Amino acid sequence: MSERIFIGVAWPYANGPLHLGHITGAYLPADIFARYHRLKGNEVLMVSGSDQHGAPITIRAGQESTTPQEIASKYHQQFINCWEKLGISFDLFTTTGTPNHAQVTHDIFLTLLNKGYIYKDKMLQAHCPRCQRFLPDRYLEGTCPYCGFAKARGDECDECGKPLNPSELKEPHCYLCSSPVHFELSEHFFLRLTSFQDKLTTWIKEQTHWRHNVLGTTWKFLDEGLRDRAITRDLNWGITVPQSGFERKRIYVWFEAVIGYLSATKEWAKLHGDDLAWQPFWQGETKSFYFVGKDNIFFHTLVWPAMLMGYGGLNLPYDVPANEFLTIEGRRLSTSRNWAIWLPDYLERYEPDPLRYALAANMPETGDSDFSWREFLRRNNNELVATYGNLAHRVLTFACRNFNGAAPSPGELDEQSQRLLHKAEATLSTVDKLLYHCSFKEAVREAMSLAQEANRYLDEQAPWKTIKEERQNSAKSIYTVLSVLSTLKTVFYPFLPFSSEKLHRLLGFEGSVKEGGWTLQSLSPGQELRQPEPLFIKLDESIVAQETSQLGSVSNR
Ligand SMILES: [Zn+2]
Ligand SMILES: [Zn+2]
């Protein structure tokens, strides 16, 4: 029976380019999951968009003498180019800047206000007298109370990694002009999270299928006791507050960005000519998955569910399979120090599938994991090229030369061939189960082990030897491996969509892998194969030194 799957992916902040931390944290696992469910014939909707509000964008615009809209539009376009090149298959990638999003946000704000879940209060905010503006936490600089680092920010210390409150900083000053700041009282709206403590606790207890790290982080917040949070800011860029007296304030980004999941679904429905098409995904029988990085867990397992509970009548998350962090060459990723691998740079130099493979094979699902260029090279050259790519190339080339470029008729299969075909069927079902439960790392390993198994089979069968004396025997082994390749293009499709489509065509199939479904799509004897070409390109050893030397060099960006 087919299922309905909603996939919400974290909204990237339109203030800078994407890096590998973003990709492995949310976008790649979400895309693998979406492709898998589409291949299974399920109804999938995957949405996200660029988060284009908030103070950092206004400050960036000031520094570059442009407008916040220009900054947001520039990165929005860059994100879309990256999704296309990396094969991240959103059904809709919009922005928080649409009138539709503002309208949906106002509706939720006003409903929660009317129900008493939002209230007015005063709070202290850092103000820079020289810049004449309230400063967001990130634009407050001072000395870290934990490690003494002089350039810690109001939200976090980049040296020791401790999260901070603005008031904890010693000698707080403006990050932009270095003037000392003072704190002023300002009136704001607050979300009454405290009133959801019990309801959320009951609900979280039922989520036994969630990842341990996600449950752990969530329970930590619940055990400490939830606190009400300010949901407006002193700012002139963002979604207006639909209340008089608040004309110079805006709704805080974290409150409205999560609403984007709902507004994007409504926008998608309108674009498809059926205004009500959003309803089955939010009110009908649907499993809603939210793919976000570790730092976003709180907003997706507690804040957004609280908002949904308060509003009423909309589906709560079914799962939030958040990943842990990715380190780069053994060190914590830092964008300010350029200790990062930027996606646009990668995509200029290499193919998308090897990155998707390397990140999936080492996905930080249960703990942090590391990306190194040496490991990337090894995975590309030893696994994609030597194991999978070479298997396809050997067999397709051989069939072209010896069987007139068509799948030979296998005749009767021996035990060894049957065993390999059973293994192919078993891999389809194992990878199916693993992907269903968001175990991406293990799933891709299973897929690769089928390719390894097929290589061993091919070496033992040695069709290049049997072709002269026992042509039928050779035909049988070639046909068997062609069937395994057909399985591989299916089980690898969620991870390696580009090479899977290519292999699909090389095997002589028409259309797309997607149409074949999650099955062993057999070749008919006599099926014409296409002229073989390599699935992957071997990379030179020298890229390791070349790429690692770029890390941390600030001149680069
Ligand atoms: Zn200042
Ligand atoms: Zn510190």
Side-chain angles (χ1 to χ4, degrees):
M1 203 185 70
S2 105
E3 287 187 73
R4 200 180 296 116
I5 306 286
F6 174 79
I7 302 175
V9 200
W11 290 57
Y13 198 56
N15 189 35
L18 297 156
H19 55 65
L20 297 201
H22 298 125
I23 302 310
T24 199
Y27 304 100
L28 178 61
D31 184 67
I32 293 169
F33 197 62
R35 286 178 183 273
Y36 155 71
H37 275 292
R38 291 188 197 116
L39 201 47
K40 290 276 292 176
N42 290 327
E43 195 183 342
V44 174
L45 183 68
M46 176 163 88
V47 298
S48 181
S50 40
D51 178 355
Q52 63 168 43
H53 295 137
I57 285 181
T58 66
I59 289 164
R60 177 86 181 248
Q63 286 165 341
E64 294 186 13
S65 310
T66 178
T67 61
Q69 188 59 61
E70 292 256 337
I71 299 276
S73 303
K74 173 182 146 187
Y75 286 109
H76 181 67
Q77 197 47 55
Q78 196 187 79
F79 295 162
I80 287 181
N81 293 344
C82 284
W83 304 146
E84 200 184 322
K85 284 190 189 162
L86 189 61
I88 305 295
S89 54
F90 284 111
D91 294 292
L92 178 67
F93 186 81
T94 177
T95 86
T96 54
T98 65
N100 166 68
H101 177 64
Q103 192 195 333
V104 177
T105 301
H106 283 169
D107 171 41
I108 292 197
F109 180 96
L110 291 170
T111 305
L112 294 178
L113 185 68
N114 290 338
K115 290 185 167 186
Y117 294 126
I118 286 178
Y119 63 94
K120 243 187 269 184
D121 201 358
K122 291 201 164 84
M123 69 185 264
L124 278 175
Q125 273 226 277
H127 188 269
C128 173
R130 189 152 161 210
C131 296
Q132 293 191 317
R133 65 182 303 160
F134 285 99
L135 295 174
D137 300 351
R138 191 75 196 145
Y139 286 84
L140 202 59
E141 195 178 69
T143 304
C144 172
Y146 299 100
C147 74
F149 181 55
K151 289 182 178 303
R153 303 289 188 88
D155 58 347
E156 183 184 47
C157 172
D158 280 348
E159 183 66 28
C160 69
K162 284 244 164 60
L164 299 173
N165 286 318
S167 54
E168 284 182 284
L169 283 180
K170 292 180 191 161
E171 293 164 47
H173 54 265
C174 173
Y175 171 71
L176 302 170
C177 73
S178 302
S179 304
V181 298
H182 54 91
F183 287 85
E184 271 180 29
L185 274 180
S186 176
E187 190 165 53
H188 283 288
F189 281 100
F190 287 74
L191 177 64
R192 206 184 290 279
L193 270 180
T194 44
S195 64
F196 293 96
Q197 174 87 28
D198 293 344
K199 251 182 131 173
L200 285 169
T201 303
T202 309
W203 178 66
I204 294 294
K205 273 186 190 153
E206 294 162 10
Q207 311 309 320
T208 47
H209 56 288
W210 287 12
R211 286 183 182 170
H212 288 301
N213 55 333
V214 175
L215 279 174
T217 306
T218 305
W219 278 116
K220 202 170 139 268
F221 283 108
L222 280 174
D223 291 344
E224 282 168 4
L226 296 175
R227 277 171 295 181
D228 295 348
R229 292 178 74 105
I231 57 162
T232 49
R233 284 292 188 271
D234 294 277
L235 203 67
N236 58 10
W237 170 246
I239 302 217
T240 55
V241 185
Q243 289 289 290
S244 62
F246 279 77
E247 289 77 10
R248 299 183 60 190
K249 309 194 180 195
R250 293 292 181 271
I251 294 182
Y252 192 26
V253 275
W254 70 250
F255 182 83
E256 51 113 341
V258 287
I259 295 175
Y261 298 119
L262 176 62
S263 65
T265 312
K266 292 190 172 181
E267 185 182 341
W268 167 84
K270 281 181 200 136
L271 289 172
H272 284 73
D274 178 2
D275 286 9
L276 299 181
W278 67 274
Q279 286 173 342
F281 286 100
W282 286 89
Q283 300 176 327
E285 199 172 304
T286 292
K287 281 183 178 163
S288 312
F289 291 81
Y290 292 86
F291 285 85
V292 301
K294 182 188 196 167
D295 46 349
N296 254 322
I297 292 176
F298 173 69
F299 294 107
H300 291 81
T301 63
L302 295 168
V303 177
W304 179 228
M307 290 162 68
L308 290 167
M309 286 172 176
Y311 186 83
L314 299 175
N315 291 342
L316 296 176
Y318 171 77
D319 198 0
V320 184
N323 275 339
E324 297 285 296
F325 287 142
L326 184 75
T327 54
I328 303 288
E329 304 283 350
R331 276 172 59 181
R332 190 164 179 268
L333 198 146
S334 160
T335 54
S336 58
R337 294 174 186 189
N338 198 33
W339 196 263
I341 296 162
W342 303 98
L343 187 61
D345 290 351
Y346 173 92
L347 292 170
E348 256 172 41
R349 300 200 271 272
Y350 308 101
E351 295 292 317
D353 276 357
L355 181 66
R356 293 177 63 112
Y357 179 73
L359 292 178
N362 194 21
M363 203 164 258
E365 288 168 13
T366 50
D368 292 354
S369 68
D370 188 56
F371 179 92
S372 76
W373 283 103
R374 172 141 316 274
E375 183 67 359
F376 170 77
L377 183 86
R378 189 190 70 75
R379 291 214 186 265
N380 182 76
N381 289 357
N382 297 5
E383 295 177 8
L384 290 182
V385 175
T387 304
Y388 178 26
N390 196 28
L391 174 74
H393 205 62
R394 277 205 288 173
V395 168
L396 286 167
T397 315
F398 190 83
C400 261
R401 278 194 204 128
N402 298 288
F403 295 104
N404 279 330
S409 183
E412 202 176 324
L413 293 180
D414 59 358
E415 202 193 317
Q416 213 182 5
S417 308
Q418 277 174 2
R419 210 183 309 133
L420 182 65
L421 290 176
H422 282 150
K423 160 90 181 165
E425 291 279 7
T427 303
L428 266 171
S429 114
T430 311
V431 174
D432 183 356
K433 281 190 203 105
L434 290 168
L435 286 179
Y436 191 84
H437 293 106
C438 299
S439 293
F440 305 111
K441 194 157 93 173
E442 226 182 310
V444 78
R445 202 179 299 153
E446 277 294 321
M448 191 50 87
S449 86
L450 176 61
Q452 285 156 351
E453 191 78 27
N455 271 309
R456 276 193 291 274
Y457 166 87
L458 195 62
D459 289 342
E460 281 166 23
Q461 295 271 323
W464 45 88
K465 284 184 192 153
T466 52
I467 186 75
K468 294 194 188 95
E469 314 283 316
E470 310 162 75
R471 191 174 166 82
Q472 188 51 50
N473 213 344
S474 177
K476 170 212 68 192
S477 348
I478 291 301
Y479 182 84
T480 303
V481 179
L482 286 172
S483 301
V484 173
L485 286 173
S486 182
T487 311
L488 287 170
K489 61 124 170 128
T490 303
V491 290
F492 270 129
Y493 171 77
F495 304 95
L496 307 171
F498 298 97
S499 42
S500 276
E501 293 292 4
K502 195 169 180 181
L503 182 54
H504 180 78
R505 286 191 304 275
L506 294 180
L507 290 171
F509 293 111
E510 297 298 331
S512 152
V513 175
K514 221 160 65 183
E515 291 142 35
W518 193 268
T519 51
L520 202 174
Q521 196 179 10
S522 311
L523 289 88
S524 332
Q527 177 166 322
E528 259 183 65
L529 308 168
R530 293 194 171 87
Q531 195 57 39
E533 44 178 296
L535 291 183
F536 306 100
I537 305 162
K538 192 172 178 193
L539 292 169
D540 193 83
E541 176 81 25
S542 63
I543 68 145
V544 176
Q546 229 168 62
E547 294 293 349
T548 36
S549 73
Q550 299 292 312
L551 283 166
S553 70
V554 182
S555 59
N556 189 30
R557 200 163 277 271

